Amino acid sequence: AQSVSQHNHHVILSEAASLELGCNYSYGGTVNLFWYVQYPGQHLQLLLKYFSGDPLVKGIKGFEAEFIKSKFSFNLRKPSVQWSDTAEYFCAVSSYSSASKIIFGSGTRLSIRP
Amino acid sequence: NAGVTQTPKFRVLKTGQSMTLLCAQDMNHEYMYWYRQDPGMGLRLIHYSVGEGTTAKGEVPDGYNVSRLKKQNFLLGLESAAPSQTSVYFCATSDTPTYEQYFGPGTRLTVT
């Protein structure tokens, strides 16, 4: 079955630390990849997306993600986190075989110590 | 341009009561989705619609019904609420099924 795995359930970092959140998927074929962010008490917002082209994608607020096709991965990175990055982060994947659906990972909660 | 709105924002139900959640969008998107979000389980798809008059089951459809009579509205119904349906419900829309989804603000439902 198609699935998306986020292995880090809760990550705690200090301000200015570097961040990498893992995302692996099990689709074959062509995929579209997304990272969404959910700030406390808010709805999900798109952070960045990959459809094709340069596998290193830059998003809002200094986030970036790298698509590594051979590893079925789309990890999210940020060189220096801020307290305001405290949120839950969801990786998501869609494909032309996923029947009109985007599959979301279970999320990673990021807590930043001021 | 409101985007995606959800009504109500909060609701408390007793077991066995019924209710309808409304999702409205002004983005002219064909695809609409209902998810529930529970701690540690991410987003789970309940039902979705690929266009006016169509609906389809998602990952966790039991206990819920949906209708899409108008393109801009997608209703989620609970006929007989159960405590297991306590959750935050999000509606989302998209222009195509493989592109990004736009989310509403959510409805927090508690069933006692």
Side-chain angles (χ1 to χ4, degrees):
Chain A
Q2 299 160 337
S3 65
V4 179
S5 298
Q6 293 182 245
H7 303 294
N8 310 109
H9 298 294
H10 188 193
V11 173
I12 302 172
L13 295 173
S14 298
E15 275 195 314
S18 64
L19 169 71
E20 181 161 2
L21 301 183
C23 173
N24 290 90
Y25 62 93
S26 65
Y27 286 85
T30 303
V31 293
N32 296 329
L33 300 155
F34 310 87
W35 275 98
Y36 284 84
V37 59
Q38 185 179 29
Y39 297 106
Q42 297 188 25
H43 62 284
L44 274 77
Q45 306 168 45
L46 185 68
L47 202 53
L48 50 79
K49 61 188 178 187
Y50 171 81
F51 289 169
S52 63
D54 188 344
L56 184 61
V57 180
K58 295 193 184 299
I60 61 172
K61 302 187 179 185
F63 285 91
E64 64 179 31
E66 185 175 13
F67 171 48
I68 303 180
K69 189 174 182 179
S70 61
K71 295 185 177 180
F72 297 90
S73 69
F74 190 55
N75 291 356
L76 181 70
R77 300 195 292 250
K78 186 171 184 178
S80 176
V81 295
Q82 300 172 312
W83 180 79
S84 58
D85 293 325
T86 295
E88 190 150 17
Y89 293 81
F90 293 91
C91 181
V93 179
S94 71
S95 75
Y96 293 98
S97 63
S98 64
S100 305
K101 298 189 290 290
I102 291 179
I103 307 299
F104 286 85
S106 57
T108 296
R109 185 156 63 100
L110 176 64
S111 299
I112 306 298
R113 291 189 290 250
Chain B
N1 188 350
V4 183
T5 60
Q6 291 183 233
T7 310
K9 289 185 170 52
F10 303 95
R11 186 73 185 269
V12 178
L13 288 179
K14 294 186 188 303
T15 297
Q17 287 184 319
S18 63
M19 76 164 294
T20 300
L21 283 69
L22 170 64
C23 175
Q25 55 116 346
D26 61 5
M27 306 173 79
N28 202 33
H29 285 170
E30 290 291 341
Y31 297 83
M32 298 187 74
Y33 307 84
W34 276 108
Y35 294 93
R36 59 178 290 172
Q37 184 180 32
D38 303 291
M41 304 190 75
L43 288 170
R44 292 184 290 171
L45 182 64
I46 304 170
H47 286 281
Y48 63 101
S49 168
V50 302
E52 182 179 316
T54 74
T55 63
K57 293 181 180 180
E59 182 185 354
V60 288
D62 294 341
Y64 305 94
N65 56 73
V66 287
S67 64
R68 182 104 180 263
L69 298 179
K70 294 182 179 180
K71 183 177 182 178
Q72 62 267 36
N73 295 339
F74 194 29
L75 280 67
L76 177 71
L78 286 72
E79 291 184 344
S80 179
S84 61
Q85 294 176 304
T86 293
S87 188
V88 180
Y89 292 85
F90 286 100
C91 174
T93 73
S94 67
D95 193 25
T96 71
T98 54
Y99 282 25
E100 65 262 39
Q101 294 182 1
Y102 297 84
F103 284 81
T107 295
R108 185 173 294 275
L109 175 66
T110 301
V111 183
T112 61

